[in-house]
């Protein structure tokens, strides 16, 4: 039995910065509301025809692979987490295999939204622990901006989300006291529709229904979020799953050197920070600059924290996420 460790990290965000004031030009919103409720100051939106979810993932992956100090042909498996794939099918995992020119390794697509990166890391960790693979590329990437309702009708959702990608290479670690100590995954499908995008899907609305009806009031192909309900569940589940991860390893909140929470809302991160008695230096937030990038938020934040020298050898690093599904999870790492 082996452990896995994160041997390389990278991220990519599109250049195009969209401020809260920019959004107030196209919908009835304002900087004060957005900052007060979410902490977000600006986010990145892909300019149509430039990047895709896959291309952003590929750019982040190239940095991560280089920093891992391996050749792309040493990658044994690809895991791609996103809710905004380039195509309905096939998923972006195979597009990364193609675009990076990696040999014909397996490519898995993860559909766990905000928890996608946590699920992806957990899957990769199991493959490495079992000895099946040595180096696994895990990507979280999202292109939200093209699929949002950018009118006042959609303001409760569209001001929150941003585009970007993050990637990590997980590598076999022989020292059992180092690397990913444990991962913890949960779901509660009872609340599936509380944060969802139901069309196009075979369950309720397929593409032909939308085309036939041509209903200008149709919002089924835009994301829906019951914000307050999601918020209330998020603060409870974030805390629970962090405690679960610490307990399994015989650790407590005092042992945390760095918490990287999924960047859903700065108020949620602050709530969790306070609950665990962590200082500003022990929690990394960047939602101010990028908004909520769903599956990409943790790898972007982790890369930035690492680049800033805030994640160092021997540190206890905790990753935690909650989101649509509902799904939630945590990963406990000895760096
Ligand atoms: O990453 C996945 C997990 N996601 C989350 O964890 C998100 C959790 N939820 C949230 O972060 C918050 O619920 C939101 C930030 C989404 C919303 O904040 P809220 O305090 O729950 O606001 P609300 O939805 O209750 O709306 C309050 C008011 C409403 O107006 P009335 O009915 O009181 O007149 C909204 O219409 O604010 C209005 N509103 C806005 N006003 C200006 C909603 N969106 C906006 C907006 N600008 N963008």
């Amino acid at each position: 039995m082996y452990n896995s460790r994160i041997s390389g990290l990278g991220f990519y965000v599109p250049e195009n910065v969209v401020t809260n004031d920019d959004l107030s030009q196209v919908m009835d919103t304002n900087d004060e509301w957005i900052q007060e409720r979410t902490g977000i100051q600006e986010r990145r939106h892909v300019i149509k025809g430039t990047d895709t979810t896959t291309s952003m993932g590929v750019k982040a992956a190239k940095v991560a692979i280089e920093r891992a100090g391996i050749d792309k042909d040493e990658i044994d498996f690809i895991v791609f987490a996103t809710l905004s794939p380039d195509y309905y099918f096939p998923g972006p995992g195979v597009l990364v295999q193609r675009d990076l020119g990696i040999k014909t390794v397996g490519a898995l697509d993860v559909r766990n939204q905000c928890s996608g990166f946590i699920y992806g890391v957990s899957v990769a960790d199991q493959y490495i622990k079992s000895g099946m693979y040595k180096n696994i590329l895990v990507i979280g990437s999202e292109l939200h901006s093209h699929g949002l309702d950018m009118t006042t009708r959609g303001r409760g959702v569209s001001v929150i989300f941003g585009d970007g990608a993050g990637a990590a290479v997980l590598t076999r670690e022989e020292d059992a006291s180092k690397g990913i100590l444990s991962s913890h995954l949960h779901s509660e499908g009872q609340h599936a529709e509380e944060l969802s995008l139901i069309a196009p899907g075979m369950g309720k609305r397929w593409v032909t229904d939308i085309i036939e009806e041509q209903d200008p009031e149709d919002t089924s192909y835009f994301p829906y979020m019951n914000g307050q309900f999601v918020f209330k569940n998020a603060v409870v589940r974030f805390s629970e799953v962090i405690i679960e991860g610490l307990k399994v390893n015989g650790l407590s909140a005092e042992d945390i050197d760095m918490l990287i929470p999924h960047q859903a809302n700065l108020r949620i991160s602050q709530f969790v920070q306070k609950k665990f008695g962590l200082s500003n230096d022990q929690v990394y937030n960047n939602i101010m600059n990028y908004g909520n990038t769903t599956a990409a938020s943790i790898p972007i934040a982790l890369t930035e924290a690492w680049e800033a020298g805030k994640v160092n050898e021997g540190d206890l690093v905790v990753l935690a996420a909650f989101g649509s599904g509902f799904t939630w999870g945590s990963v406990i790492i000895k760096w």
Side-chain angles (χ1 to χ4, degrees):
M1 185 106 156
Y2 301 99
N3 254 13
S4 71
R5 70 184 163 86
I6 293 179
S7 57
L9 283 164
F11 81 99
Y12 170 83
V13 288
E15 270 176 35
N16 181 35
V17 175
V18 176
T19 64
N20 295 341
D21 286 339
D22 292 334
L23 291 179
S24 70
Q25 306 296 310
V26 295
M27 65 182 80
D28 182 10
T29 190
N30 57 76
D31 180 54
E32 194 190 348
W33 190 97
I34 300 173
Q35 286 216 44
E36 197 181 297
R37 309 275 174 141
T38 71
I40 300 166
Q41 294 169 15
E42 57 188 43
R43 75 286 292 139
R44 306 296 176 97
H45 284 179
V46 165
I47 292 172
K48 239 180 189 159
T50 57
D51 271 308
T52 67
T53 294
T54 300
S55 75
M56 291 191 289
V58 164
K59 287 172 188 169
K62 281 183 178 165
V63 178
I65 293 169
E66 198 194 324
R67 286 176 172 168
I70 60 169
D71 185 81
K72 65 178 170 52
D73 287 323
E74 292 175 78
I75 298 285
D76 301 312
F77 195 67
I78 299 163
V79 183
F80 200 122
T82 188
L83 63 70
S84 50
D86 294 16
Y87 305 137
Y88 192 80
F89 73 85
V94 299
L95 305 181
V96 167
Q97 179 274 328
R98 176 186 69 189
D99 295 351
L100 277 178
I102 295 178
K103 57 189 191 305
T104 58
V105 299
L108 177 75
D109 298 296
V110 168
R111 295 295 311 273
N112 290 91
Q113 297 68 248
C114 303
S115 315
F117 186 75
I118 298 278
Y119 270 73
V121 165
S122 180
V123 167
D125 181 44
Q126 308 315 310
Y127 277 132
I128 291 175
K129 276 201 169 85
S130 73
M132 184 162 171
Y133 296 129
K134 204 170 166 195
N135 295 302
I136 301 184
L137 174 62
V138 183
I139 299 172
S141 179
E142 305 284 1
L143 201 166
H144 288 302
S145 57
H146 297 173
L148 298 171
D149 181 355
M150 298 299 276
T151 69
T152 298
R153 186 179 62 181
R155 65 183 180 175
V157 172
S158 48
V159 302
I160 295 168
F161 293 97
D163 303 338
V169 174
L170 267 67
T171 296
R172 182 186 289 177
E173 168 62 57
E174 314 261 344
D175 181 347
S177 66
K178 261 190 181 167
I180 295 175
L181 302 182
S182 62
S183 56
H184 309 272
L185 308 177
H186 294 277
S187 71
E188 192 175 26
Q190 187 190 342
H191 304 307
E193 285 79 18
E194 301 294 350
L195 175 48
S196 61
L197 198 167
I198 63 161
M202 304 301 178
K204 288 196 170 138
R205 285 180 70 71
W206 184 232
V207 180
T208 44
D209 298 325
I210 296 165
I211 294 169
E212 273 163 29
E213 288 170 28
Q214 290 198 26
D215 177 3
E217 302 303 317
D218 183 10
T219 55
S220 65
Y221 47 83
F222 290 125
Y224 165 78
M225 176 162 67
N226 180 349
Q228 292 197 2
F229 186 72
V230 174
F231 193 105
K232 282 178 198 152
N233 278 268
V235 290
V236 173
R237 298 307 194 183
F238 260 108
S239 306
E240 273 179 14
V241 82
I242 293 169
I243 292 170
E244 180 186 350
L246 291 171
K247 259 194 181 165
V248 161
N249 293 289
L251 301 164
S252 66
E254 285 96 74
D255 297 308
I256 297 176
D257 292 300
M258 178 56 74
L259 170 66
I260 313 267
H262 161 54
Q263 300 292 290
N265 181 322
L266 190 59
R267 308 295 159 236
I268 295 176
S269 296
Q270 287 167 339
F271 180 94
V272 174
Q273 175 176 343
K274 201 168 162 206
K275 181 167 170 82
F276 289 100
L278 302 173
S279 71
N280 288 342
D281 288 341
Q282 291 169 293
V283 184
Y284 193 81
N285 289 303
N286 60 7
I287 191 168
M288 305 72 86
N289 305 327
Y290 304 124
N292 178 344
T293 57
T294 313
S297 93
I298 291 180
I300 294 175
L302 182 57
T303 306
E304 277 195 350
W306 176 81
E307 285 175 354
K310 292 172 187 281
V311 173
N312 295 296
E313 200 172 341
D315 283 353
L316 188 80
V317 179
V318 176
L319 315 179
F322 174 88
S324 162
F326 292 151
T327 61
W328 62 100
S330 64
V331 176
I332 314 293
I333 307 171
K334 189 77 175 168
W335 207 265

